[in-house]
Amino acid sequence: KNRLLAEEGIEENELNFSGSEIEKKVSVTGTNKAWIKEFMENCLIDETGLPCKTIIFPTSIKHGRIIVEEFEKAFPQYKGEMIKLISSDDSKSRKLIKEFKTNSLPRIAVSVGILDTGVDIPEVCNLIFARPTKSKIRFWQMLGRGTRHESTCEHKDWLPVGGKKYFMAFDYMNNFE
């Protein structure tokens, strides 16, 4: 609050943010830590105990970086391997997408405007909505990332024990409502 008032010239009565605006203006790491922990305790996992392929949809690139940082603080044993930010402004985005699709690690892709639509990774079993999505069409496209049937999966060892019977969506922004 003090930084916004002093450095950005924002008036105190203007400090009223909606859910999507707050992550763009204020870094709320406690919230990120809480849902990262909840996700890791409840996500679909493979037979080795690793999370199945997961896509996180953050509010911005900055928010995506914060998510990666908070995840790696909470789970230092996976640092640099389990989670990767994949954004449209990264010149290595195609390479990162290919690695996410064809390699066991990373298991979690933090996607900023790149895995929402048009990318087919059938092994995705967990989706995390960490941003509000106003477009119903985009929401259904994002949700569709988890709907691919097990028969289309090349890497069955990345799937939950017993196979991909369903996928999980963690909605921290009330998109389903």
Side-chain angles (χ1 to χ4, degrees):
K1 174 181 170 184
N2 290 337
R3 187 186 64 75
L4 288 173
L5 294 173
E7 294 175 19
E8 309 258 345
I10 295 174
E11 298 294 323
E12 189 154 359
N13 62 350
E14 294 175 327
L15 293 176
N16 183 12
F17 302 111
S18 71
S20 62
E21 294 174 311
I22 194 135
E23 278 293 350
K24 292 177 184 172
K25 300 280 185 189
V26 180
S27 205
V28 187
T29 58
T31 303
N32 292 322
K33 286 178 193 176
W35 68 253
I36 288 167
K37 183 177 185 272
E38 179 184 9
F39 164 73
M40 288 297 284
E41 290 172 354
N42 296 290
C43 68
L44 292 173
I45 58 173
D46 70 11
E47 65 184 22
T48 69
L50 291 177
C52 294
K53 289 288 183 170
T54 301
I55 300 174
I56 299 174
F57 302 106
T59 60
S60 65
I61 293 170
K62 178 183 175 188
H63 184 216
R65 286 186 187 115
I66 291 168
I67 290 169
V68 171
E69 183 179 305
E70 291 299 322
F71 182 92
E72 291 188 338
K73 280 183 194 172
F75 300 96
Q77 68 271 32
Y78 300 130
K79 189 169 180 137
E81 296 179 353
M82 182 67 64
I83 186 169
K84 294 285 183 189
L85 176 66
I86 304 175
S87 65
S88 55
D89 75 332
D90 188 337
S91 62
K92 298 179 289 189
S93 62
R94 289 182 195 262
K95 179 181 179 255
L96 292 169
I97 292 169
K98 184 177 180 182
E99 287 174 1
F100 182 64
K101 185 174 183 168
T102 60
N103 299 347
S104 176
L105 294 172
R107 287 298 177 98
I108 304 170
V110 182
S111 168
V112 183
I114 204 158
L115 295 178
D116 300 14
T117 63
V119 175
D120 190 30
I121 304 169
E123 288 82 3
V124 170
C125 292
N126 299 299
L127 299 171
I128 300 174
F129 293 89
R131 76 168 207 219
T133 305
K134 294 179 180 162
S135 165
K136 286 183 182 181
I137 292 169
R138 180 167 290 279
F139 172 72
W140 283 107
Q141 289 174 328
M142 292 162 71
L143 196 61
R145 302 306 95 204
T147 61
R148 304 307 190 261
H149 191 271
E150 178 182 344
S151 64
T152 63
C153 296
E154 292 180 32
H155 306 281
K156 306 241 191 273
D157 54 321
W158 303 347
L159 300 177
V161 177
K164 185 175 180 181
K165 309 289 184 233
Y166 57 91
F167 68 99
M168 292 188 69
F170 298 81
D171 182 14
Y172 296 104
M173 292 293 177
N174 298 320
N175 288 295
F176 280 91
E177 290 178 16

